[in-house]
Amino acid sequence: MSNKRLLFIPVSSPEGIGEYMRSLLLAQSLKAELTDSLDIHFILNKHTTYAKKCPFEATLLEHSATKELDSVCDFIEQFKPDVVVFDCAGRAGHMKAAKKVGAKVVFISQHAKKRAKGLKLNRINLIDTHWVVQPDYCIEPLTWAESAKLDMFPLAHPRNVGPFVPFASCEQKRDVLNRYNLVSDGYFIVNAGSGGHILNNLNCAEVYFKAALKITKHTGLKAVVVFGANYNKAIPKSDEVTCLSSLQGTEFLALMSQAKVALLSGGDTLLQAIAVQTPVVACAISKDQNTRLDHCVNAGVVIKANLDIDEITTKIAQVITEPFYSEFIGKYKQLDSTHSFDVITTGIKNMLVGDRL
């Protein structure tokens, strides 16, 4: 029996890495389970920092896939995938090409604006499954118009499947603590997203590093600062702070799950921290993060701060003070525990192997 073919087309821009990392983790998990019976391919923008490091075969484009309709459609026709995963990406023309070769089409969205793209009328009968990687409390409900379209037309119904969290094993947790000479709950973790965000002419990763220096002096906790793959300067050397360029997804989750507290942006890592029940102070460092962050604040599961070192330090100190700290963690235990990593991995595997499971 010939190998099944799986194609990933994530949003691929120089500024962002979250969608690629989600697709990469899915690909690695599925490859580990299905071993030699699966051929995996990516379509990426060659100008991103990660494109040439992709461990799977990849077609590299001059622009994002969205801007290269014909070349992407030609590749789909040639590769003949069994499943195509569009992660916050994909034009209707791409999806038509996938359906033409008999592929199942998966669309992953992560906020209301991207979700709406999956509900455009030119997607009728093109998307087989639409997963939204947000918990219910963190995304606006469907609008009246969107609900009406779903009632009237054969569009895939968006399903909220929770945050995307590839949980670390006990062994991975032990290894990462030993590697960086840390003890559980004896440190805090800091990450400002991909490392390339600029707000008010300030590099957010550098502001977070300076905040980490102040927090560790104020609290006595060790600091681990992950600058991000898109940080294009030399990583600082410090006796007080462990500075890392980037980490693999499960390594990062292993560190975050054992940290006393996290200082993050309003991106995907925010929901990951909530899922592993690590209290969070977060700043919105891009426009699209404000809504998500506000939803989390309203749910009582994150403390919001402005991009100001003194304010960040004060709020971290507030979070780790009892009884506030224990009450904060108690709120996490009341949340829906659904996590999209398991849902999506199992769903795609079922599409690939069907009744052979």
Side-chain angles (χ1 to χ4, degrees), residues 5-55:
R5 296 180 177 183
L6 175 59
L7 177 61
F8 286 95
I9 307 180
V11 163
S12 184
S13 65
E15 296 79 22
I17 194 172
E19 292 83 1
Y20 166 72
M21 288 303 301
R22 181 162 52 230
S23 291
L24 179 61
L25 288 165
L26 283 170
Q28 290 170 330
S29 177
L30 289 162
K31 187 66 175 178
E33 289 195 47
L34 302 178
T35 59
D36 295 333
S37 63
L38 183 61
D39 291 333
I40 295 175
H41 200 96
F42 278 70
I43 294 180
L44 302 169
N45 180 342
K46 75 176 186 181
H47 300 292
T48 57
T49 57
Y50 49 81
K52 293 180 181 178
K53 300 176 184 177
C54 181

Side-chain angles (χ1 to χ4, degrees), residues 22 131 185 216 262:
R22 181 162 52 230
W131 285 308
D185 283 341
T216 196

Side-chain angles (χ1 to χ4, degrees), residues 188 208-218 223 238 240-241:
F188 63 99
Y208 274 32
F209 169 67
K210 292 174 182 176
L213 289 170
K214 187 165 185 176
I215 293 164
T216 196
K217 290 177 182 177
H218 186 75
S238 170
E240 302 163 285
V241 174

Side-chain angles (χ1 to χ4, degrees), residues 86-101:
F86 295 95
D87 194 326
C88 294
R91 295 173 62 172
H94 299 154
M95 296 175 182
K96 286 179 182 176
K99 298 303 287 184
K100 188 175 180 180
V101 298

Side-chain angles (χ1 to χ4, degrees), residues 43-69:
I43 294 180
L44 302 169
N45 180 342
K46 75 176 186 181
H47 300 292
T48 57
T49 57
Y50 49 81
K52 293 180 181 178
K53 300 176 184 177
C54 181
F56 295 96
E57 290 190 8
T59 295
L60 304 184
L61 306 175
E62 282 292 336
H63 309 93
S64 67
T66 304
K67 295 181 179 180
E68 299 207 22
L69 176 62

